[in-house]
Amino acid sequence: GANIMGRTTGQVINPNLELLFEGPTLRTFNFNFPLTPRDETEADICWDIIQAMKKDMAPVKEDPALFLKPPCLWKLEYLYNGDGQHPFMNKFKPCALTSFNVDYTPGGSYMTYDGGSMTAYNIQMSFNEIDPVYRGDYEDGDFQ
């Protein structure tokens, strides 16, 4: 159709429009946190955090196992002075944890406490928003 229009009227369709916009996209956020417990008690807390994150990113199998429930959604925010959203950082829509990786030897050496827990961990997480950001989100003042 574009070729016929160009031959009859001398006009062609602008191909740049297809390059600029293909549809709304979902944003991805990556975080990297070193965890360095100072004693066995803090090491147990790090282990509990790792296990909770892995558990909550997994789907839930129902009985009978015909259907699955989705994993947990996450509401992320950057805290400012421990009291709510940081005014100069981006806001998030609800997110799904899509990747969670643990490096059990971040210093390149294997070291444990007496109970067997590691002396250091490095966790890498990726979150994807489940709803795209639209212009109206900024115009409503609820987003930045």
mmCIF file of all heavy atoms in Angstrom, residues 40 104 109-121:
data_model
loop_
_atom_site.group_PDB
_atom_site.id
_atom_site.type_symbol
_atom_site.label_atom_id
_atom_site.label_comp_id
_atom_site.label_asym_id
_atom_site.label_seq_id
_atom_site.Cartn_x
_atom_site.Cartn_y
_atom_site.Cartn_z
ATOM 1 N N GLU A 40 27.313 -15.275 64.114
ATOM 2 C CA GLU A 40 26.410 -16.373 63.733
ATOM 3 C C GLU A 40 24.945 -15.923 63.717
ATOM 4 O O GLU A 40 24.169 -16.335 62.852
ATOM 5 C CB GLU A 40 26.597 -17.542 64.705
ATOM 6 C CG GLU A 40 25.898 -18.807 64.280
ATOM 7 C CD GLU A 40 26.544 -19.477 63.090
ATOM 8 O OE1 GLU A 40 27.776 -19.462 62.980
ATOM 9 O OE2 GLU A 40 25.807 -20.021 62.244
ATOM 10 N N TYR A 104 27.856 -17.057 47.070
ATOM 11 C CA TYR A 104 28.206 -17.493 48.419
ATOM 12 C C TYR A 104 29.684 -17.266 48.735
ATOM 13 O O TYR A 104 30.089 -17.426 49.878
ATOM 14 C CB TYR A 104 27.840 -18.966 48.602
ATOM 15 C CG TYR A 104 26.350 -19.198 48.532
ATOM 16 C CD1 TYR A 104 25.753 -19.617 47.354
ATOM 17 C CD2 TYR A 104 25.545 -18.978 49.633
ATOM 18 C CE1 TYR A 104 24.384 -19.823 47.280
ATOM 19 C CE2 TYR A 104 24.176 -19.185 49.580
ATOM 20 C CZ TYR A 104 23.609 -19.605 48.401
ATOM 21 O OH TYR A 104 22.245 -19.794 48.331
ATOM 22 N N SER A 109 36.875 -16.499 48.221
ATOM 23 C CA SER A 109 37.361 -17.563 49.099
ATOM 24 C C SER A 109 36.212 -18.100 49.941
ATOM 25 O O SER A 109 35.277 -17.377 50.273
ATOM 26 C CB SER A 109 38.485 -17.047 50.007
ATOM 27 O OG SER A 109 37.998 -16.027 50.848
ATOM 28 N N TYR A 110 36.331 -19.353 50.302
ATOM 29 C CA TYR A 110 35.303 -20.043 51.073
ATOM 30 C C TYR A 110 35.614 -19.886 52.560
ATOM 31 O O TYR A 110 36.642 -20.370 53.042
ATOM 32 C CB TYR A 110 35.285 -21.523 50.672
ATOM 33 C CG TYR A 110 34.362 -22.375 51.486
ATOM 34 C CD1 TYR A 110 33.012 -22.423 51.190
ATOM 35 C CD2 TYR A 110 34.836 -23.135 52.552
ATOM 36 C CE1 TYR A 110 32.154 -23.216 51.928
ATOM 37 C CE2 TYR A 110 33.986 -23.927 53.296
ATOM 38 C CZ TYR A 110 32.654 -23.957 52.991
ATOM 39 O OH TYR A 110 31.798 -24.731 53.718
ATOM 40 N N MET A 111 34.720 -19.162 53.281
ATOM 41 C CA MET A 111 34.886 -19.006 54.722
ATOM 42 C C MET A 111 33.521 -19.132 55.383
ATOM 43 O O MET A 111 32.530 -18.597 54.884
ATOM 44 C CB MET A 111 35.477 -17.638 55.064
ATOM 45 C CG MET A 111 36.917 -17.470 54.653
ATOM 46 S SD MET A 111 37.686 -15.990 55.322
ATOM 47 C CE MET A 111 36.676 -14.709 54.631
ATOM 48 N N THR A 112 33.500 -19.860 56.516
ATOM 49 C CA THR A 112 32.246 -20.041 57.243
ATOM 50 C C THR A 112 32.464 -19.770 58.729
ATOM 51 O O THR A 112 33.591 -19.765 59.224
ATOM 52 C CB THR A 112 31.720 -21.485 57.093
ATOM 53 O OG1 THR A 112 32.652 -22.380 57.696
ATOM 54 C CG2 THR A 112 31.488 -21.855 55.648
ATOM 55 N N TYR A 113 31.329 -19.528 59.403
ATOM 56 C CA TYR A 113 31.349 -19.496 60.866
ATOM 57 C C TYR A 113 31.299 -20.935 61.370
ATOM 58 O O TYR A 113 31.117 -21.875 60.592
ATOM 59 C CB TYR A 113 30.164 -18.679 61.401
ATOM 60 C CG TYR A 113 30.321 -17.193 61.175
ATOM 61 C CD1 TYR A 113 29.531 -16.524 60.254
ATOM 62 C CD2 TYR A 113 31.260 -16.473 61.896
ATOM 63 C CE1 TYR A 113 29.679 -15.160 60.046
ATOM 64 C CE2 TYR A 113 31.424 -15.113 61.690
ATOM 65 C CZ TYR A 113 30.631 -14.462 60.771
ATOM 66 O OH TYR A 113 30.783 -13.130 60.573
ATOM 67 N N ASP A 114 31.420 -21.114 62.686
ATOM 68 C CA ASP A 114 31.445 -22.465 63.255
ATOM 69 C C ASP A 114 30.191 -23.265 62.915
ATOM 70 O O ASP A 114 30.259 -24.479 62.730
ATOM 71 C CB ASP A 114 31.616 -22.393 64.781
ATOM 72 C CG ASP A 114 33.008 -21.915 65.167
ATOM 73 O OD1 ASP A 114 33.937 -22.071 64.346
ATOM 74 O OD2 ASP A 114 33.161 -21.374 66.279
ATOM 75 N N GLY A 115 29.050 -22.596 62.805
ATOM 76 C CA GLY A 115 27.804 -23.287 62.505
ATOM 77 C C GLY A 115 27.637 -23.655 61.044
ATOM 78 O O GLY A 115 26.658 -24.292 60.662
ATOM 79 N N GLY A 116 28.575 -23.239 60.177
ATOM 80 C CA GLY A 116 28.511 -23.583 58.763
ATOM 81 C C GLY A 116 28.019 -22.472 57.860
ATOM 82 O O GLY A 116 28.101 -22.577 56.643
ATOM 83 N N SER A 117 27.475 -21.391 58.425
ATOM 84 C CA SER A 117 26.971 -20.303 57.571
ATOM 85 C C SER A 117 28.141 -19.503 57.004
ATOM 86 O O SER A 117 29.221 -19.439 57.598
ATOM 87 C CB SER A 117 26.037 -19.402 58.368
ATOM 88 O OG SER A 117 26.737 -18.815 59.438
ATOM 89 N N MET A 118 27.916 -18.924 55.856
ATOM 90 C CA MET A 118 28.963 -18.175 55.164
ATOM 91 C C MET A 118 29.255 -16.857 55.894
ATOM 92 O O MET A 118 28.387 -16.293 56.557
ATOM 93 C CB MET A 118 28.539 -17.886 53.725
ATOM 94 C CG MET A 118 28.168 -19.119 52.915
ATOM 95 S SD MET A 118 29.417 -20.393 52.890
ATOM 96 C CE MET A 118 30.684 -19.604 51.947
ATOM 97 N N THR A 119 30.479 -16.354 55.732
ATOM 98 C CA THR A 119 30.851 -15.080 56.345
ATOM 99 C C THR A 119 30.477 -13.895 55.470
ATOM 100 O O THR A 119 30.522 -12.761 55.923
ATOM 101 C CB THR A 119 32.356 -15.032 56.642
ATOM 102 O OG1 THR A 119 33.067 -15.227 55.416
ATOM 103 C CG2 THR A 119 32.735 -16.099 57.647
ATOM 104 N N ALA A 120 30.117 -14.148 54.209
ATOM 105 C CA ALA A 120 29.699 -13.073 53.307
ATOM 106 C C ALA A 120 28.847 -13.656 52.191
ATOM 107 O O ALA A 120 29.023 -14.808 51.780
ATOM 108 C CB ALA A 120 30.914 -12.351 52.725
ATOM 109 N N TYR A 121 27.900 -12.830 51.729
ATOM 110 C CA TYR A 121 27.032 -13.169 50.602
ATOM 111 C C TYR A 121 26.926 -11.940 49.721
ATOM 112 O O TYR A 121 27.074 -10.818 50.185
ATOM 113 C CB TYR A 121 25.610 -13.530 51.065
ATOM 114 C CG TYR A 121 25.510 -14.646 52.060
ATOM 115 C CD1 TYR A 121 25.561 -14.394 53.429
ATOM 116 C CD2 TYR A 121 25.319 -15.956 51.638
ATOM 117 C CE1 TYR A 121 25.447 -15.426 54.345
ATOM 118 C CE2 TYR A 121 25.201 -16.989 52.555
ATOM 119 C CZ TYR A 121 25.265 -16.714 53.911
ATOM 120 O OH TYR A 121 25.148 -17.731 54.811
#
